[in-house]
Amino acid sequence: MTLAAIEAVLFDKDGTLFDFAETWNAFAARLILRLADGDDLRRHGLARALMFDLEAGSFLPGSPVIAGTNREVAELIAPILPERGIEELESLIIAEAADAPLSEAVALVPYLAGLAARGLSLGVMTNDSESVARAHLRAAGIEGMFDFVAGADSGHGAKPSPRPLLAFASATGHAPDRVIMVGDSLHDLAAGRAAGMWTAGVLTGMADADTLAPMADVVLPDIGHLPDWLSDRGT
């Protein structure tokens, strides 16, 4: 397998296409406030469950929310909100997430156009729901620039399983070893490795370079550095 053989790029969404902290910290603070409904004990309980620092207004690096699915987030907070079912909480999270304040990691329209011009197939696989993913991509004006978009509820499973990544390879007609998985978490990179793909870590999420390096072929400051890295290797 050579780097010159890369024909497709599969992106994670949150922390990769969009800066995680700038997009999701404000969302989480708003969600906690809404669910607490004026109850300070409940507010602190929700923050502990989500590993969200209320004073700093940010997720802690080890928060399971960072790479988790909406269902998993609902299950985390359900014990604190016994009057609400998990399905209700999941639906509420999805509805709130669709309106999250997006912060692009780089200017995405010209960036993705440049990758497509190189003949690369492009996809998105996120542990968010597909409906939220498409809402975010649409809001950024880039939904139509991808050959494949999948969420944890699209029928292929969720990362770190390799199944959704292999679904992208199959849908676009590329062998897994000609695909690079780009993400900000170990879930992304572990899925990429398990699928037999190249892996690139980016630092626009909550994980640092030392955390990502063992599972990554390269760790980049953000996705904007990927084209030069591919060019340096003849792709």
Side-chain angles (χ1 to χ4, degrees):
M1 180 166 77
T2 66
L3 282 171
I6 291 177
E7 300 170 348
V9 184
L10 182 59
F11 293 99
D12 172 52
K13 178 172 69 73
D14 303 315
T16 303
L17 294 175
F18 303 104
D19 182 277
F20 185 90
E22 292 191 26
T23 297
W24 292 105
N25 284 342
F27 159 82
R30 184 179 67 191
L31 180 68
I32 289 170
L33 191 63
R34 175 176 175 180
L35 291 174
D37 195 25
D39 185 327
D40 201 49
L41 286 176
R42 181 169 284 190
R43 184 169 70 93
H44 283 275
L46 290 166
R48 281 194 299 273
L50 299 176
M51 291 183 65
F52 185 83
D53 186 327
L54 288 171
E55 289 189 9
S58 65
F59 281 103
L60 298 172
S63 171
V65 176
I66 294 169
T69 66
N70 290 319
R71 181 74 174 199
E72 288 167 343
V73 175
E75 290 170 346
L76 282 174
I77 62 177
I80 302 155
L81 302 162
E83 73 281 6
R84 295 177 182 263
I86 290 175
E87 289 76 12
E88 178 189 353
L89 288 170
E90 183 180 18
S91 296
L92 187 150
I93 291 165
I94 290 171
E96 290 280 323
D99 293 325
L102 301 174
S103 177
E104 298 181 11
V106 300
L108 290 173
V109 170
Y111 171 76
L112 295 170
L115 291 179
R118 299 168 75 138
L120 294 166
S121 298
L122 305 176
V124 174
M125 198 287 132
T126 174
N127 276 359
D128 203 345
S129 67
E130 183 177 336
S131 64
V132 172
R134 289 190 177 278
H136 289 170
L137 300 178
R138 216 162 27 243
I142 57 174
E143 183 183 16
M145 303 182 81
F146 293 101
D147 304 293
F148 177 95
V149 176
D153 57 355
S154 297
H156 311 297
K159 296 171 292 189
S161 168
R163 286 180 52 226
L165 281 65
L166 294 171
F168 165 72
S170 176
T172 54
H174 300 291
D177 64 0
R178 299 199 173 191
V179 178
I180 185 164
M181 175 70 215
V182 185
D184 67 298
S185 76
L186 286 176
H187 270 39
D188 301 318
L189 305 183
R193 284 284 173 90
M197 297 176 177
W198 294 92
T199 56
V202 291
L203 302 179
T204 40
M206 299 297 288
D208 60 22
D210 288 342
T211 299
L212 299 178
M215 296 296 289
D217 293 301
V218 63
V219 177
L220 304 168
D222 57 52
I223 58 173
H225 294 258
L226 181 65
D228 286 344
W229 185 77
L230 292 173
S231 294
D232 287 345
R233 286 150 182 80
T235 297

